[in-house]
Amino acid sequence: MDKVNPYFLKNPSLISFSGGRTSGYMLYQILKAHNGKLPDDVFVVFANTGKEMPQTLDFVHDCSTYWDVPIIWVEWDNNSKNKIRIVDHNSASRKGEPYEQLIDSKKFLPNPVTRYCTSYLKIKPMRAYCMFHKGFEYWNSYVGLRYDEPHRVARLSNRNKKERWETEGPLHDAKVTVQHVYDFWKNNEFDLRLPNIGGKTPQGNCDLCFLKGANTIKNIMKSDPKLAEWWIKQETKHLGTGNDRAAYFRKDRPSYAKLLKNTQDQLELFEFDQATDTCFCHD
Ligand code: SF4
């Protein structure tokens, strides 16, 4: 019997598009498997936190335009029905608005242990889209997990089975590694306009995400110090609440204000962290 093409989708489905090169590669392969046109009950969804780099937003838009595939942009919004707002490349938040609104409603900052930002800003809006906008009861969720990311694949198989969706990792099934993704974009007519360092995109996801290594954050701050302002503002707002956990994104390293100061005191760039972790929509 022929092996099933991992890019051929079960329906109904959501393609979770993170705005990175890997999920862009996955989308391309899925489109190719369907002769360039997705089935009617398959939707590509990008969840914007408001803290993505503008290049990421442009890349999502480019994938949609060059490949002629609709990509639905969603944002978490506490004031909207079902807490979801549909936006587009023009109307998407660019100043961290959904994220800040979420922090204000929670009254404490997310941190590596209580990472509610991923859940509220990425997973819940995608779920709300499938349930309330499309009326799906159950669906398959396609995520860009590569073969060389075994820790993420392990998390995937340990995930809560009570959800309404089954998670599929077609890149993993097709044994796709970071090298395949790199080669694809090198030869493509457009690319994500953010540096690719050893197959990683340090500026991907939320610009100064607290899961990134301290040196990665300092390098990004050094190239664009203004990015630090939003993170410093969040930490400053929650100071003095009497709850240390509430006031900082991380307790195990200096505040964002101190990290910024550190970059201003040193001339050279820092070594990029090897073990930087990143947010993943379906962790
Ligand atoms: S990228 Fe980082 S800060 Fe942004 S939602 Fe994910 S975990 Fe939170």
Side-chain angles (χ1 to χ4, degrees), residues 134-153:
K134 292 295 150 201
F136 296 167
E137 200 173 342
Y138 296 99
W139 60 92
N140 301 287
S141 178
Y142 286 78
V143 298
L145 277 175
R146 294 188 313 264
Y147 194 60
D148 55 350
E149 298 179 300
H151 60 292
R152 285 186 162 165
V153 178

Side-chain angles (χ1 to χ4, degrees), residues 49 51-52 99 110 115-119 121-122 204-212 230-231 249 277-280:
T49 66
K51 283 305 292 166
E52 319 279 347
Y99 201 163
R115 191 162 41 111
Y116 65 75
C117 45
T118 310
S119 161
L121 299 172
K122 298 201 169 184
N205 288 300
C206 294
D207 47 31
L208 298 179
C209 166
F210 54 85
L211 294 182
K212 295 179 183 179
W230 185 91
W231 301 86
F249 287 99
D277 203 355
T278 53
C279 176
F280 195 66

